Amino acid sequence: MADDIEITQTEETIDTNTAQPTPQAATSLTQEERDLIAAMPYEEARDKLVQAVRALENGGLSLDQSMRQWEIGEALAQRAESLLADVRARLDAAQAQQAQTASTAGTQENLQ
């Protein structure tokens, strides 16, 4: 990841429940860094998350550096969670398919 810190302006979105703008936190991550994280396989995201956490736990970082590590960690954690959720959904679908197949195994329905 790039060592440069690029602060973006705070963006606003509209809360659909209240129709009020809700501020989005500014981030120091560039679009390129967000794209890299979004393309990472689970193992790489997990390993880089561990590195970010260790950097924070070891201390010695400035406030800006700590915030950057935290933002990186948050993005990596979201990526890993997303990948795990996809795997869980595929496993659930496979188990449901297997249960459906098992319920008709050895019956006339299965032979047709």
Side-chain angles (χ1 to χ4, degrees):
M1 300 210 181
D3 290 344
D4 316 8
I5 296 177
E6 182 179 317
I7 304 296
T8 59
Q9 296 295 321
T10 300
E11 300 171 10
E12 287 189 351
T13 58
I14 300 295
D15 182 340
T16 55
N17 296 325
T18 64
Q20 297 294 317
T22 55
Q24 298 295 312
T27 180
S28 65
L29 299 181
T30 65
Q31 185 61 46
E32 180 182 357
E33 290 169 325
R34 289 189 295 266
D35 291 345
L36 285 171
I37 290 171
M40 281 183 188
Y42 173 79
E43 293 79 4
E44 184 179 356
R46 180 201 59 215
D47 293 346
K48 289 193 180 294
L49 175 57
V50 168
Q51 291 172 0
V53 169
R54 283 190 183 141
L56 287 167
E57 289 177 343
N58 289 338
L61 299 174
S62 70
L63 179 58
D64 286 340
Q65 291 169 329
S66 294
M67 284 302 299
R68 180 162 171 74
Q69 286 302 307
W70 180 80
E71 288 176 352
I72 290 169
E74 283 291 315
L76 291 165
Q78 288 174 1
R79 173 64 178 160
E81 287 175 12
S82 173
L83 290 168
L84 288 174
D86 290 346
V87 170
R88 278 189 211 104
R90 290 195 318 238
L91 286 173
D92 289 346
Q95 288 174 336
Q97 178 68 30
Q98 184 179 16
Q100 182 181 7
T101 303
S103 69
T104 60
T107 65
Q108 285 296 322
E109 290 177 32
N110 195 32
L111 300 175
Q112 296 176 0

